[in-house]
Amino acid sequence: MISCKKCSLEDLVEFTKNIDEVYLEFLSRYDDGTTPNKKQLKEELKASGIIRDESEIKKMISDATPDDITKDVLYSKKDYISYYKSIKNPLPQMGSPVEDLGLDDNIAKYLHEKGIARFYKFQEESIKEIIFGQNVVITAPTASGKTEAFAIPIIQKIASENNRNGIFAIFVYPTKALARDQLPKIREIAKSVGVMADVFDGDTKELDRNKILDDLPQIIVTNFDVLHYHLMYRTRFASACSTAKFLIVDEAHVYSGIFGSNVHYIIKRLKRICKKIQFVASSATLDNAKEFCGQLFGTNMQLIQGSGRKGETDFVMAFPSLRTQRALMIDLLEKLTSKKHKTMVFSNSHLNSELIAMQARKKKIDIKVHRAGLMANYRNFVEKSFKEDKLSAISCTPTLELGIDVGNVDGVISSTIPINRLLQRIGRAARKGQRGFAFLALGNDPISQYYKNHPDNYFEDIEQTYIDPKNPFVEEFHVLAMACDKPIAMHELSEHADVIKKHVESGNLILQENRYIPNYNAIKDAQNEYSIRGIGKSIDIFFNEKKVGDRVLPMALEELHESAIYFLAGMRYKVKEFNYPQKQFAKLVSIPKNYPYYTKALTEEWPTIETVYEKRKVFGIEVCFCKLRIQKRVYGYVNIELGQEVNQGQKILLENPLEYDFVTKGIVMHAPRPAEEMIKSENGEYVEASGYHATEHIIIEGSNMVTGGVSQDLGGISLGTSGLIFIYDGAIGGNGASKALYDRLEKAFERSLFIVKECPCTNEAGCPRCTFSYRCGNNNEFLHKKASHEILQKINDGEITDIIEPMEGDRPLV
């Protein structure tokens, strides 16, 4: 779309990668007098499916009464409105009066002082079942009273004990910030009956740790990283935890993938050192809660479901036809904040959250960034400012999806994520009963184009929480950790007999007096280096000799190489020095505010299959799930002009390329040849390699919601003209993302074909809405849309292929 802000001249021109070519085409049309008038253009936009006809919007609204802000969005001339609904939540079901549940008089008195005379039905159910001794999983929306539903019965049970010495309950939260946010609420209820609660985590100072260990509280609030460490090193804290009778795990949906597989084993290890332990899990967004928590805790769980939230919320799904996703999100943000509506903007990447804040500030919007990698004190400052109404908006990543209390929120703007996580984000709006706003801003990417045309499928694509207890990396490590926690008796852990045998043969475990004990000299490196969150080492980031953040490897190589532009808390800096691999730090310097670029790394990767775990036929093609070694090389970067968001830029090569290799898990497939497209071209090899590369992009980007929004955790390589496509977990050791795709490949292939078939672009390489990937390490070169269409059609038609060996000389396209 080409338009002039000063006059009404507008035209619609076919996309090409080169913006100058687009402009020349427009000038030629202008000279010929073939540019459309306003009426013609409007009809062309509707006919091309770029905007909706007003009659369709009226039909969508039906008898609802959207707010003026929402109406303005619905009748947009720049976006295609895929879906609109006014979400009205019924009031939660009420349960019995507080006095009727036989609680301690002091707890009842405390609740009355807080203005709580009756429980919600789900709270009453939870209290009864937990007091009765059941293992329970509670699912209810954000801010519906889940904490009271599990804290009250646990505190009641502790209060009724005669001997209150030692730790009775361990409350686990996924982040230190959330633990500290919830502690005052738990403490307040506990205090009413003389029960003590304390937080014990990585931020607890040495003096406070000793105080806690000398005078143990009945409730300890912590995280799984701390439990893992202390169990493995048999510390005083681990020994204190052995008296625990309850384990409470909040935000259970976080423990998916590799992290969840590790947590499954930490819970199993805790069971070994505690005589008898009752489990309580809670989550706002879990579709398969009973099954998932049953697997996570290794026992049968009883499901209790609650409802909550008051207030009516306008929900709109918009596709940015004539602008970028970021421009749409900033426009929505401006509309909300100009009417004094406090707003949270959720992005799926660090870079996007930073760019939104930076561009919003230029429009005088009072906004700050909240994401992982920023210092904890800065994040706390942002939360506090927003809660106290000193800040209009937060640009955040999923860090604020969890239940941290940031006070009153009127509007939520979100990039594309699975529906259950979107509902959790939307759950933050209109909690106080006011009118709420929720906007799903689809992107300029393959999956968004699919949802634009198939909005109903969005609501069916629910994120699957999954763990893999048989993940060999995880199982092998935790069997060693169990021996460190407490020697393994010969008759014990028969389900891990093969792993124990393997460890004995390799000298990691020693059989002594019918017990397996660890050989500490042999395993000390594994103990020190293993991460339960499936993340590698970090690079520390310094500005003016002060640490201002960190970034995990291998991503740090792409974002912190020399001369990279790095975004931090809404500001841009240039990397002056990157010390890797020796000292692992990066030093930043300031750049002028009007500096026009940011950077994107150019990368090369080479995959090696180390072990094949599983093999199957998907339609007709052979696919393997395996252990892979990835050799990664960052050899240069491109400058991208701010605001242009063009996925190609001028290449600059690094004097000293950066190299890194890591072991992960992934899938390998052998794609069919695009023979018809190859015959039509003078350069068949180029068409073939570009077709495979485009197919790899489409499968990763297009399968995003089929796998529950994990595409940002995946990397991909197509090997030259071999037809071999590798899709792997970006995390060291694997994170479960590629396994989720492996299990759902049929659906991913079907959807990928739809994406390439339905995209109206006629450009040979395709466009950002079908074949391009914003994470492409080859600058979105070597892409061929028609060849990938042929490949995906053949896959869906059942053409048979078998895995072959990679050949030297095949150029990896990433």
Side-chain angles (χ1 to χ4, degrees), residues 139-156:
T139 64
T142 310
S144 55
K146 285 193 301 295
T147 303
E148 289 79 3
F150 58 73
I152 289 169
I154 299 290
I155 290 164
Q156 171 66 36

Side-chain angles (χ1 to χ4, degrees), residues 471-477 479-480 496-510 516 523 611 613 627:
N471 176 322
F473 293 102
V474 177
E475 185 185 5
E476 283 173 24
F477 177 80
V479 166
L480 278 183
H496 302 299
D498 291 348
V499 176
I500 291 171
K501 186 182 170 197
K502 187 177 167 185
H503 279 314
V504 171
E505 285 168 1
S506 61
N508 293 332
L509 290 178
I510 301 160
Y516 296 104
I523 68 166
T611 313
Y613 297 129
K627 179 181 175 183

Side-chain angles (χ1 to χ4, degrees), residues 35-91:
T35 51
N37 62 35
K38 274 206 156 180
K39 193 177 176 190
Q40 287 170 327
L41 184 68
K42 196 173 179 184
E43 291 311 310
E44 199 180 329
L45 291 173
K46 286 175 188 172
S48 310
I50 288 170
I51 61 168
R52 284 267 199 193
D53 191 281
E54 286 180 13
S55 62
E56 292 177 303
I57 298 293
K58 281 176 183 156
K59 193 177 169 188
M60 213 182 260
I61 294 170
S62 183
D63 55 357
T65 52
D67 184 274
D68 287 346
I69 292 174
T70 311
K71 271 189 202 162
D72 197 17
V73 173
L74 290 172
Y75 290 105
S76 161
K77 297 287 178 284
K78 292 181 178 175
D79 312 302
Y80 182 92
I81 304 303
S82 297
Y83 185 87
Y84 163 73
K85 187 182 181 183
S86 175
I87 302 170
K88 292 174 185 169
N89 289 295
L91 287 169

Side-chain angles (χ1 to χ4, degrees), residues 399-456:
T399 48
L400 277 179
E401 252 175 46
L402 305 177
I404 292 172
D405 184 9
V406 288
N408 206 11
V409 183
D410 304 311
V412 170
I413 301 163
S414 174
S415 50
T416 326
I417 43 147
I419 178 63
N420 44 327
R421 281 177 58 198
L422 179 74
L423 290 173
Q424 181 156 1
R425 290 175 179 184
I426 290 175
R428 287 197 168 277
R431 288 184 188 175
K432 300 282 191 290
Q434 79 273 38
R435 184 69 170 253
F437 302 89
F439 298 107
L440 178 67
L442 295 173
N444 308 90
D445 58 85
I447 193 63
S448 293
Q449 174 136 293
Y450 180 82
Y451 285 141
K452 173 207 163 192
N453 300 324
H454 307 273
D456 291 347

